[in-house]
Amino acid sequence: LLAPFGGHGLALGALIVAIITAPTAHPDPNKRYGAAVIAGVFHLVIGFFTATVLQLFSALPPALIATVAGLALSSIIASSLAGALSEPGERDAAAITFLCTAANFTFMGIGAPFWGLIAGVIVNLLMRRRAARSAA
């Protein structure tokens, strides 16, 4: 909600909170505070050395940074795809949406995520219309 007004850091904080309060942090909810303390200390250390961390990352080749970011997001992408493709009636629309978005093209000055969403909605409407005709 606050990202357009410069509060984008709050969204990142929400992700950290979701991670440190999850059952993977500790099976006992009363002992999950340890993950919060460790995360807080880690953020303080990184905060003190922000300039050094930024220089370190700027010295790395852009391809390496993109590869590491891609590897870090691979499990998120896999679980999102599994969820999107789990419903047989919605599978085609989800696949088209993903493929159009991943194609990374621009048409009429608008990027692929928008066109992927439009293509997915159109395919979903067509598939529902087809299913309604075959049911009738």
Side-chain angles (χ1 to χ4, degrees):
L1 182 65
L2 296 176
F5 308 107
H8 58 277
L10 297 175
L12 295 175
L15 293 173
I16 297 298
V17 169
I19 291 169
I20 63 177
T21 58
T24 54
H26 197 284
D28 183 8
N30 294 325
K31 295 185 179 179
R32 291 184 190 156
Y33 66 88
V37 171
I38 298 286
V41 169
F42 178 75
H43 282 93
L44 286 173
V45 169
I46 293 296
F48 285 128
F49 298 105
T50 299
T52 306
V53 171
L54 288 176
Q55 285 182 349
L56 172 71
F57 278 109
S58 66
L60 296 173
L64 177 64
I65 294 172
T67 302
V68 170
L71 290 173
L73 294 174
S74 63
S75 65
I76 295 169
I77 293 170
S79 65
S80 297
L81 276 175
L85 299 174
S86 65
E87 185 67 37
E90 313 285 325
R91 194 171 288 157
D92 294 331
I96 294 295
T97 302
F98 176 74
L99 292 174
C100 284
T101 303
N104 196 23
F105 65 92
T106 302
F107 182 65
M108 296 187 333
I110 302 173
F114 174 79
W115 295 116
L117 183 61
I118 296 299
V121 168
I122 290 170
V123 169
N124 192 12
L125 290 173
L126 290 173
M127 296 301 287
R128 287 179 183 223
R129 188 175 177 191
R130 181 179 173 195
R133 280 187 183 172
S134 61

